[in-house]
Amino acid sequence: IFLPEGLTVSVSTDGENFVEVASQQYDVQEKAENTLTDIMLSFQETSARYIRLNVIPLERIPQWRSENGGTAYVFIDEVIVL
């Protein structure tokens, strides 16, 4: 389980036409960290009924892991919208 390479937040009033309001790229982990990580994205206040969170995972498990080259996963526990 790894942090994502990037996140994109898009919003919509109708559930069909989304507008990107925030995005962030992240550095690839250099070592194993067994900790919970809060990731926050901020954007200007907007009116929307729908939120789309696009998570960009690592393409492959990094070389420093024994499972290197395999499929990398991102697990999301909670999404809080303020």
Side-chain angles (χ1 to χ4, degrees):
I1 302 169
F2 294 88
L3 293 175
E5 280 191 12
L7 291 172
T8 302
V9 178
S10 302
V11 296
S12 171
T13 56
D14 62 9
E16 294 182 20
N17 300 298
F18 284 83
V19 175
E20 184 177 308
V21 293
S23 66
Q24 181 71 46
Q25 296 298 115
Y26 301 97
D27 295 329
V28 176
Q29 291 171 261
E30 297 294 325
K31 62 178 182 169
E33 294 181 24
N34 293 325
T35 62
L36 296 176
T37 302
D38 291 334
I39 296 176
M40 297 177 61
L41 259 65
S42 297
F43 50 91
Q44 285 188 312
E45 186 174 324
T46 187
S47 179
R49 182 172 181 186
Y50 302 92
I51 299 173
R52 178 181 288 164
L53 179 63
N54 184 29
V55 179
I56 303 162
L58 292 177
E59 287 188 28
R60 296 284 171 208
I61 295 175
Q63 293 295 326
W64 53 265
R65 289 291 300 258
S66 60
E67 308 87 2
N68 66 63
T71 303
Y73 296 96
V74 174
F75 287 5
I76 297 175
D77 186 70
E78 295 180 23
V79 175
I80 300 171
V81 179
L82 302 173

